[in-house]
Amino acid sequence: MRSLGFRGVLIALAILGATVLAVAVLILKPALLAYFIGVFTPCAAVYILEGSKRRFAWIGSAAMTLAAAGPIVLAGLLDGKLFIMGNIWAWGVPVAAGMAGTAVAIIVPAIGEAITTREQKEQFAILEERQTALIAEWGETIKEPLSPPS
């Protein structure tokens, strides 16, 4: 039998936490179900729009939305006078957090790729200088010059 590993345990805990929260909403305050669905609708849109096999943006969006909406839903369950449906911050913070999670999942890899590309171009420029110096010292030994990676 294969072990879950750290990633598998984290995913299992996230699913367990979301399930417990959803069941508590259904049992204690079913009106919060509309809030729960409304807040996670952007996550579903990101899931549909992403379309790749890895789905990093959806994972980032769902994790950040759950982290922001969980305490709000818990407060709504524990405080009978708190009206979450009419609170703009209760809607805005989880949606903004989900957008931030999506941005992190999309922008951070792009930045890393740009930095790697820049470093590769710098290394290639150093190699071209070295090649020019070697040609000046030893003479031409190759028929065509190297071209940088695209």
Side-chain angles (χ1 to χ4, degrees), residues 131 135 140-147:
Q131 180 184 20
I135 288 173
E140 184 73 33
T141 59
I142 57 173
K143 302 295 183 216
E144 53 187 63
L146 296 176
S147 59

PDB file of all heavy atoms in Angstrom, residues 131 135 140-147:
ATOM      1  N   GLN A 131      33.851  32.076 -26.009  1.00  0.00           N
ATOM      2  CA  GLN A 131      34.038  31.506 -27.337  1.00  0.00           C
ATOM      3  C   GLN A 131      34.840  32.464 -28.224  1.00  0.00           C
ATOM      4  O   GLN A 131      35.754  32.043 -28.937  1.00  0.00           O
ATOM      5  CB  GLN A 131      32.680  31.208 -27.979  1.00  0.00           C
ATOM      6  CG  GLN A 131      32.792  30.615 -29.363  1.00  0.00           C
ATOM      7  CD  GLN A 131      31.446  30.422 -30.021  1.00  0.00           C
ATOM      8  OE1 GLN A 131      30.470  31.050 -29.631  1.00  0.00           O
ATOM      9  NE2 GLN A 131      31.392  29.563 -31.014  1.00  0.00           N
ATOM     10  N   ILE A 135      38.423  31.657 -29.883  1.00  0.00           N
ATOM     11  CA  ILE A 135      38.639  31.745 -31.330  1.00  0.00           C
ATOM     12  C   ILE A 135      39.826  32.666 -31.623  1.00  0.00           C
ATOM     13  O   ILE A 135      40.656  32.378 -32.485  1.00  0.00           O
ATOM     14  CB  ILE A 135      37.355  32.221 -32.045  1.00  0.00           C
ATOM     15  CG1 ILE A 135      36.310  31.105 -32.025  1.00  0.00           C
ATOM     16  CG2 ILE A 135      37.649  32.643 -33.480  1.00  0.00           C
ATOM     17  CD1 ILE A 135      34.958  31.501 -32.550  1.00  0.00           C
ATOM     18  N   GLU A 140      39.577  29.708 -35.689  1.00  0.00           N
ATOM     19  CA  GLU A 140      38.219  29.198 -35.944  1.00  0.00           C
ATOM     20  C   GLU A 140      38.253  27.682 -36.040  1.00  0.00           C
ATOM     21  O   GLU A 140      39.000  27.109 -36.839  1.00  0.00           O
ATOM     22  CB  GLU A 140      37.680  29.805 -37.241  1.00  0.00           C
ATOM     23  CG  GLU A 140      36.258  29.443 -37.563  1.00  0.00           C
ATOM     24  CD  GLU A 140      35.242  30.131 -36.673  1.00  0.00           C
ATOM     25  OE1 GLU A 140      35.461  31.271 -36.252  1.00  0.00           O
ATOM     26  OE2 GLU A 140      34.211  29.514 -36.389  1.00  0.00           O
ATOM     27  N   THR A 141      37.434  27.001 -35.249  1.00  0.00           N
ATOM     28  CA  THR A 141      37.392  25.535 -35.283  1.00  0.00           C
ATOM     29  C   THR A 141      36.003  24.997 -35.592  1.00  0.00           C
ATOM     30  O   THR A 141      35.859  23.829 -35.884  1.00  0.00           O
ATOM     31  CB  THR A 141      37.864  24.943 -33.942  1.00  0.00           C
ATOM     32  OG1 THR A 141      37.019  25.440 -32.908  1.00  0.00           O
ATOM     33  CG2 THR A 141      39.307  25.289 -33.665  1.00  0.00           C
ATOM     34  N   ILE A 142      34.977  25.837 -35.535  1.00  0.00           N
ATOM     35  CA  ILE A 142      33.620  25.382 -35.838  1.00  0.00           C
ATOM     36  C   ILE A 142      33.093  26.168 -37.030  1.00  0.00           C
ATOM     37  O   ILE A 142      33.509  27.286 -37.304  1.00  0.00           O
ATOM     38  CB  ILE A 142      32.669  25.532 -34.632  1.00  0.00           C
ATOM     39  CG1 ILE A 142      32.611  26.978 -34.138  1.00  0.00           C
ATOM     40  CG2 ILE A 142      33.064  24.594 -33.517  1.00  0.00           C
ATOM     41  CD1 ILE A 142      31.569  27.208 -33.074  1.00  0.00           C
ATOM     42  N   LYS A 143      32.174  25.581 -37.766  1.00  0.00           N
ATOM     43  CA  LYS A 143      31.662  26.204 -38.981  1.00  0.00           C
ATOM     44  C   LYS A 143      30.590  27.266 -38.714  1.00  0.00           C
ATOM     45  O   LYS A 143      30.515  28.258 -39.384  1.00  0.00           O
ATOM     46  CB  LYS A 143      31.095  25.135 -39.922  1.00  0.00           C
ATOM     47  CG  LYS A 143      32.101  24.095 -40.297  1.00  0.00           C
ATOM     48  CD  LYS A 143      33.216  24.706 -41.112  1.00  0.00           C
ATOM     49  CE  LYS A 143      34.185  23.634 -41.554  1.00  0.00           C
ATOM     50  NZ  LYS A 143      35.537  24.019 -41.588  1.00  0.00           N
ATOM     51  N   GLU A 144      29.723  27.039 -37.741  1.00  0.00           N
ATOM     52  CA  GLU A 144      28.653  28.008 -37.449  1.00  0.00           C
ATOM     53  C   GLU A 144      28.658  28.345 -35.964  1.00  0.00           C
ATOM     54  O   GLU A 144      28.898  27.481 -35.133  1.00  0.00           O
ATOM     55  CB  GLU A 144      27.283  27.474 -37.881  1.00  0.00           C
ATOM     56  CG  GLU A 144      26.950  26.101 -37.317  1.00  0.00           C
ATOM     57  CD  GLU A 144      25.681  25.532 -37.900  1.00  0.00           C
ATOM     58  OE1 GLU A 144      25.643  25.299 -39.132  1.00  0.00           O
ATOM     59  OE2 GLU A 144      24.742  25.322 -37.119  1.00  0.00           O
ATOM     60  N   PRO A 145      28.355  29.619 -35.617  1.00  0.00           N
ATOM     61  CA  PRO A 145      28.354  30.010 -34.213  1.00  0.00           C
ATOM     62  C   PRO A 145      27.154  29.440 -33.456  1.00  0.00           C
ATOM     63  O   PRO A 145      26.150  29.049 -34.064  1.00  0.00           O
ATOM     64  CB  PRO A 145      28.289  31.543 -34.262  1.00  0.00           C
ATOM     65  CG  PRO A 145      27.655  31.838 -35.579  1.00  0.00           C
ATOM     66  CD  PRO A 145      28.071  30.726 -36.514  1.00  0.00           C
ATOM     67  N   LEU A 146      27.297  29.375 -32.166  1.00  0.00           N
ATOM     68  CA  LEU A 146      26.191  28.908 -31.319  1.00  0.00           C
ATOM     69  C   LEU A 146      25.069  29.929 -31.339  1.00  0.00           C
ATOM     70  O   LEU A 146      25.287  31.120 -31.496  1.00  0.00           O
ATOM     71  CB  LEU A 146      26.680  28.712 -29.883  1.00  0.00           C
ATOM     72  CG  LEU A 146      27.749  27.643 -29.672  1.00  0.00           C
ATOM     73  CD1 LEU A 146      28.194  27.663 -28.213  1.00  0.00           C
ATOM     74  CD2 LEU A 146      27.214  26.286 -30.023  1.00  0.00           C
ATOM     75  N   SER A 147      23.844  29.450 -31.175  1.00  0.00           N
ATOM     76  CA  SER A 147      22.708  30.379 -31.076  1.00  0.00           C
ATOM     77  C   SER A 147      22.062  30.221 -29.706  1.00  0.00           C
ATOM     78  O   SER A 147      22.016  29.109 -29.178  1.00  0.00           O
ATOM     79  CB  SER A 147      21.688  30.100 -32.185  1.00  0.00           C
ATOM     80  OG  SER A 147      21.229  28.775 -32.095  1.00  0.00           O
TER      81      SER A 147
END
